[in-house]
């Protein structure tokens, strides 16, 4: 029966239900192949005995961080925080969280969607604006944590002043989402520089 087939396929090879597949195609920027591949990748992050229920279990953050897309990403912890729907605040991901993340990272996602998520990822204190503290953390993430590459206080101050001058249209000392999207649309270099979504 089914058990024998599954055993022959090398353990619990779980399959995504067909109705779920078409729903995910409508809700994401991913095509059928990309969704099936995502499902396979997500399943492989789970212990063997949980793979059959890949649609209903959560993968811990420590496993998500092993993905090649995130391994070297300076914003890996923020990415897990923004895409995780965990109530426990442990940044674990469900398959749907994982799909959302891959969808935003995909080439098919619109620049509006990408910039919206980039903004949320850079908003380290989750207060809906990028203030000086957020910008400082952002710059530190981008320049690396090594002593030799870190900016000194004067350089940091100058850079943040420049960023705010460019971006803070209403001069309230912070950058809101529409200001952020405006800067990105005007400066393709900045968009590339701050592109966490490939």
């Amino acid at each position: 029966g089914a058990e024998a087939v599954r055993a022959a396929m090398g353990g619990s090879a779980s399959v995504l239900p067909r109705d779920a597949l078409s729903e995910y195609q409508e809700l994401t920027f991913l095509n059928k192949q990309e969704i099936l591949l995502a499902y396979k990748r997500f399943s492989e992050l789970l212990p063997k005995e949980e793979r059959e229920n890949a649609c209903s279990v959560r993968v811990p953050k420590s496993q998500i961080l092993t993905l090649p897309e995130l391994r070297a990403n300076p914003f890996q912890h923020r990415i897990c925080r923004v895409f995780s729907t965990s109530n426990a605040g442990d940044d674990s991901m469900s398959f749907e969280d994982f799909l959302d993340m891959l969808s935003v990272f995909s080439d098919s996602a619109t620049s509006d969607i990408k910039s919206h998520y980039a903004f949320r990822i850079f908003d380290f204190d989750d207060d809906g604006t990028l203030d000086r503290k957020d910008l400082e953390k952002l710059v530190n993430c981008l320049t690396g944590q090594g002593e030799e590459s870190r900016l000194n206080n004067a350089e940091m101050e100058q850079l943040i002043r420049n960023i705010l001058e460019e971006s803070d249209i209403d001069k309230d000392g912070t950058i809101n989402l529409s200001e952020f999207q405006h800067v990105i649309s005007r400066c393709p270099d900045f968009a590339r520089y701050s592109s966490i979504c490939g």
Side-chain angles (χ1 to χ4, degrees), residues 24-31 34 103-104 106 108-110 113:
Y24 291 144
Q25 272 176 271
E26 280 172 40
L27 296 174
T28 67
F29 294 100
L30 304 172
N31 62 33
E34 290 168 325
S103 175
V104 171
S106 81
S108 318
T110 63
I113 292 278

Side-chain angles (χ1 to χ4, degrees), residues 102-155:
L102 292 183
S103 175
V104 171
F105 281 17
S106 81
D107 293 338
S108 318
T110 63
S111 56
D112 257 15
I113 292 278
K114 282 185 184 288
S115 58
H116 170 80
Y117 277 96
F119 181 84
R120 287 186 56 197
I121 286 162
F122 299 159
D123 178 15
F124 288 87
D125 56 9
D126 298 311
D127 69 351
T129 63
L130 305 186
D131 57 21
R132 285 172 161 271
K133 275 211 163 64
D134 292 325
L135 293 174
E136 205 168 299
K137 284 189 171 169
L138 169 56
V139 171
N140 281 335
C141 277
L142 289 170
T143 53
Q145 299 302 319
E147 283 305 309
E148 65 292 339
S149 59
R150 282 197 93 128
L151 301 183
N152 64 37
N153 290 349
E155 291 168 329

Side-chain angles (χ1 to χ4, degrees), residues 55-74:
C55 270
S56 55
V57 294
R58 303 188 73 86
V59 164
K61 175 182 176 178
S62 56
Q63 281 296 95
I64 298 290
L65 292 177
T66 64
L67 295 165
E69 290 94 326
L70 292 186
R71 211 174 292 148
N73 192 309

